[in-house]
Amino acid sequence: VYIRADFYKKASDSIMKLLYESGLRSVEIGIEAANEQDLVLYNKMATVQDNENIINFIKLHGIIPHLDFINFNPYSTMDTIKKNLDFLKRHKSMFNFFSKLNIFPKTSIYEKVVRDGLYSHRDNEGQDHYNFVNQKISILCNFIIGIKEDLIVNHNNLFNQMKWLMVYIPIQLTYIHNNHPVSRLVEHSLIEYQSKIQTLNSSINTLLYDWISDLLRVCEISDTEKLSENLVKLTQDKKVMDSIQTNFDQIVSLNKRVNRLNIYNSIQ
């Protein structure tokens, strides 16, 4: 199900118990930002503390939270980006850093972008584009989104597959645990696979966090004219793409084992 950040203010423990007993195991939360400036810009009517509270509330009741997020926008600053980064690392949701605000005609934020002289153009697919107040943030955003698109277009949709499997595998393990009588063999495998996906999740989040932290440092010390070149060089020197591929291969392998376990347990 999809919920807002203020859901924890409305749902009682008894309601959460009923939801869990009905089969609810995962929620998608409209977090969108981890800094007050962006939350106000998006008219979220929620605070950073609300965002922390809802995640903790959902976890407390044994349900897996997944975050919707908008990292880059025309008014992003190094401070807002760093706050987003730290929040996403803390909640192991670093894939959400690769996200950018879309603007749509007749919305208040679209009108603000036009009014502030940041509107750029509409492409052949009808998507509206904008410029950034901070030129270095613009270069960083284009680089980050470019990496995402490369992983999608030139690496067999790796980015989307990896992001989805990090969501799907824990839900699948929960399904196996809750919907079938579990033998000792299956129980042992569940423990092993739950530990493995947690390890892989931590590994990929640490990899992305360390790399992006370095990118931010490069942004702060580089001249604007050389920034794009320096971002590319750092990423190549750290062999980030190779490391992402290695983690992805391990996640795909684990997913195959989890699927086999589900089939095995279903026919027992």
Side-chain angles (χ1 to χ4, degrees), residues 147-160:
I147 291 287
K148 174 182 176 180
E149 292 175 350
D150 180 61
L151 289 171
I152 293 172
V153 175
N154 299 318
H155 293 80
N156 297 316
N157 202 28
L158 186 153
F159 183 91
N160 289 332

Side-chain angles (χ1 to χ4, degrees), residues 147-240:
I147 291 287
K148 174 182 176 180
E149 292 175 350
D150 180 61
L151 289 171
I152 293 172
V153 175
N154 299 318
H155 293 80
N156 297 316
N157 202 28
L158 186 153
F159 183 91
N160 289 332
Q161 287 192 66
M162 195 175 198
K163 184 178 180 181
W164 165 240
L165 287 176
M166 299 299 283
V167 172
Y168 174 75
I169 292 175
I171 296 177
Q172 183 80 333
L173 291 171
T174 301
Y175 170 80
I176 295 171
H177 182 269
N178 285 280
N179 286 273
H180 304 289
V182 177
S183 66
R184 287 188 177 182
L185 175 62
V186 171
E187 183 177 9
H188 176 78
S189 296
L190 279 174
I191 294 172
E192 177 189 349
Y193 297 165
Q194 285 167 347
S195 175
K196 183 65 174 178
I197 190 59
Q198 290 172 3
T199 299
L200 286 170
N201 195 5
S202 295
S203 175
I204 189 63
N205 273 278
T206 299
L207 165 67
L208 295 178
Y209 177 82
D210 290 345
W211 167 53
I212 292 170
S213 295
D214 288 340
L215 292 180
L216 292 179
R217 282 190 284 272
V218 168
C219 284
E220 291 178 323
I221 65 175
S222 295
D223 294 333
T224 303
E225 295 75 17
K226 295 183 179 180
L227 180 54
S228 294
E229 177 184 343
N230 291 342
L231 295 177
V232 171
K233 184 177 186 306
L234 183 145
T235 302
Q236 291 175 342
D237 289 347
K238 285 185 168 292
K239 298 182 178 179
V240 172

Side-chain angles (χ1 to χ4, degrees), residues 18-68:
L18 286 172
L19 287 171
Y20 185 89
E21 290 175 350
S22 76
L24 180 63
R25 292 295 182 272
S26 174
V27 300
E28 194 159 342
I29 310 171
I31 296 293
E32 314 310 352
N35 66 87
E36 301 296 349
Q37 175 180 311
D38 288 351
L39 290 173
V40 171
L41 179 68
Y42 303 151
N43 195 29
K44 283 299 297 179
M45 295 178 288
T47 65
V48 173
Q49 190 58 55
D50 286 331
N51 289 340
E52 295 282 0
N53 290 346
I54 185 59
I55 294 172
N56 294 332
F57 177 77
I58 291 300
K59 288 181 177 179
L60 179 65
H61 291 89
I63 298 171
I64 303 170
H66 303 290
L67 314 184
D68 285 337

